[in-house]
Amino acid sequence: MQLIVLLSILSASHIDMFDGKPIYENPIAWVRSPEIGISIRRSEYRKINLTYFDAAIGRIVPIIRLHQRNVYNNLDFQVALEGGTWVLLGYDNGMFPLITQDFYFSIPLMFKINDLSGVLKWNHISSHRSEGFDILWKKVLTPEERYKIERTERQENISISLPTKNYSRDFVSLDLAYEFYVDGDTIKPYIQGGYIYKIFPRYLKRWFYGGGFEIKSQKGLFSATDIRYNQDTNTTDFAMQIGWELQNHSSKPRFCLNYYNGSDRRGQFLGRYQKEVGIGIYVR
């Protein structure tokens, strides 16, 4: 009986292989959304504001998609591969010292039922160690200024330089989003959550959850907000993007302002408080 039901479903469905766009879109404001883009960022490091480049290279590759249409519902399932890297680079006399780099890989199982969409993922993120922030920090200060800050750090029993870390995690996550329209504008609230089942350093806690919303006007103006609690750092982190998106283009390029306030999610600087602003361009 179950075989008959399965065959009837497949007979009423259409299957695509390596074709089409992802049926679930990662949140725009999420700081670990795999996409392609570059931005100029500014944040404080050891009491000095530093400017640097933040580059993202990421992509979702759909593998197989199952469509089913009937009178009541439009139902889609899609399996894909997703990967990316985030690279922070400074600038020093024509050279670009590496500040930090994180790598990401996931296997998403996406679904869409009418205006409700979501994804269940297996994910891996790991960090690459470097000392680029200290290189920039030393470059912008005179020896006297460096000595004054280092002396203050010693007196306050603070490490002269933040210790570099190896941070990696394997985790499962679930995202749900609902899209609706008001006067022609698109509004998409979403929720996310997950559990890290393998983590280094091992003493860190493992749950995370949050959500946000996106508003896009008919003319392409958009605002996106992401708020999530990360148990590994015991912080509630806030991210926001506002800008303009070319909605009719297949890659949906967008020009935006970025804002982030919370714990640094770059593995090497995990736990460092970060207030960051930037301007950038991204495509999907």
Side-chain angles (χ1 to χ4, degrees):
M1 182 64 182
Q2 292 176 340
L3 180 59
I4 294 174
V5 173
L6 177 61
L7 291 175
S8 64
I9 292 174
L10 292 176
S11 64
S13 304
H14 178 69
I15 298 176
D16 288 333
M17 297 289 294
F18 297 99
D19 188 30
K21 300 287 286 185
I23 61 176
Y24 177 81
E25 293 186 353
N26 289 310
I28 289 175
W30 181 36
V31 295
R32 282 296 174 256
S33 182
E35 54 191 350
I36 298 175
I38 188 166
S39 61
I40 300 175
R41 306 282 181 110
R42 188 170 179 84
S43 67
E44 184 179 286
Y45 178 76
R46 298 175 67 190
K47 302 182 180 181
I48 297 297
N49 288 318
L50 298 178
T51 303
Y52 45 89
F53 297 96
D54 187 336
I57 305 172
R59 195 73 175 174
I60 302 177
V61 180
I63 303 298
I64 184 171
R65 178 177 178 180
L66 173 67
H67 321 256
Q68 187 182 23
R69 303 287 185 265
N70 57 46
V71 177
Y72 305 102
N73 293 302
N74 294 323
L75 178 62
D76 291 86
F77 289 99
Q78 190 176 57
V79 179
L81 296 177
E82 184 176 39
T85 183
W86 297 272
V87 182
L88 260 65
L89 299 172
Y91 182 79
D92 181 16
N93 294 325
M95 297 182 293
F96 296 87
L98 176 67
I99 296 172
T100 188
Q101 184 172 15
D102 286 27
F103 298 92
Y104 174 74
F105 175 76
S106 79
I107 301 175
L109 173 59
M110 295 174 277
F111 60 89
K112 185 174 176 64
I113 306 172
N114 298 328
D115 295 324
L116 176 69
S117 61
V119 59
L120 177 66
K121 292 185 184 182
W122 172 87
N123 310 261
H124 169 81
I125 291 183
S126 56
S127 61
H128 179 87
R129 297 173 59 175
S130 184
E131 298 178 349
F133 262 151
D134 283 311
I135 294 174
L136 293 179
W137 183 81
K138 292 176 182 177
K139 185 70 178 178
V140 301
L141 297 176
T142 65
E144 292 77 13
E145 291 171 329
R146 291 203 305 269
Y147 172 76
K148 183 178 179 180
I149 292 176
E150 290 171 350
R151 183 182 61 184
T152 301
E153 290 176 334
R154 291 191 184 95
Q155 291 172 347
E156 297 177 358
N157 197 26
I158 301 174
S159 297
I160 294 176
S161 179
L162 291 174
T164 58
K165 302 181 180 73
N166 283 326
Y167 178 50
S168 67
R169 59 194 186 277
D170 296 334
F171 58 100
V172 290
S173 61
L174 176 65
D175 300 13
L176 293 172
Y178 185 77
E179 193 172 278
F180 60 96
Y181 304 91
V182 176
D183 296 331
D185 296 339
T186 304
I187 301 176
K188 186 173 79 171
Y190 62 89
I191 57 174
Q192 297 177 305
Y195 178 75
I196 307 169
Y197 62 87
K198 183 180 180 181
I199 192 170
F200 183 85
R202 295 182 179 87
Y203 61 83
L204 296 173
K205 296 183 179 180
R206 303 180 178 234
W207 290 98
F208 61 90
Y209 51 85
F213 62 90
E214 298 172 6
I215 302 174
K216 296 181 182 179
S217 73
Q218 299 180 67
K219 296 182 179 181
L221 299 175
F222 73 87
S223 172
T225 301
D226 184 270
I227 303 173
R228 71 178 59 209
Y229 172 72
N230 290 291
Q231 197 181 34
D232 56 1
T233 54
N234 192 30
T235 57
T236 299
D237 304 325
F238 176 85
M240 185 174 185
Q241 277 194 18
I242 57 173
W244 178 58
E245 180 182 81
L246 290 173
Q247 297 178 336
N248 295 328
H249 195 283
S250 60
S251 297
K252 296 185 177 180
R254 66 183 192 275
F255 308 86
C256 61
L257 299 173
N258 303 283
Y259 175 77
Y260 181 80
N261 191 327
S263 174
D264 199 329
R265 298 311 302 169
R266 295 172 288 226
Q268 179 178 326
F269 302 109
L270 182 71
R272 163 182 172 260
Y273 172 71
Q274 178 190 21
K275 180 184 282 188
E276 182 182 64
V277 295
I279 184 171
I281 178 172
Y282 299 89
V283 298
R284 295 193 162 189

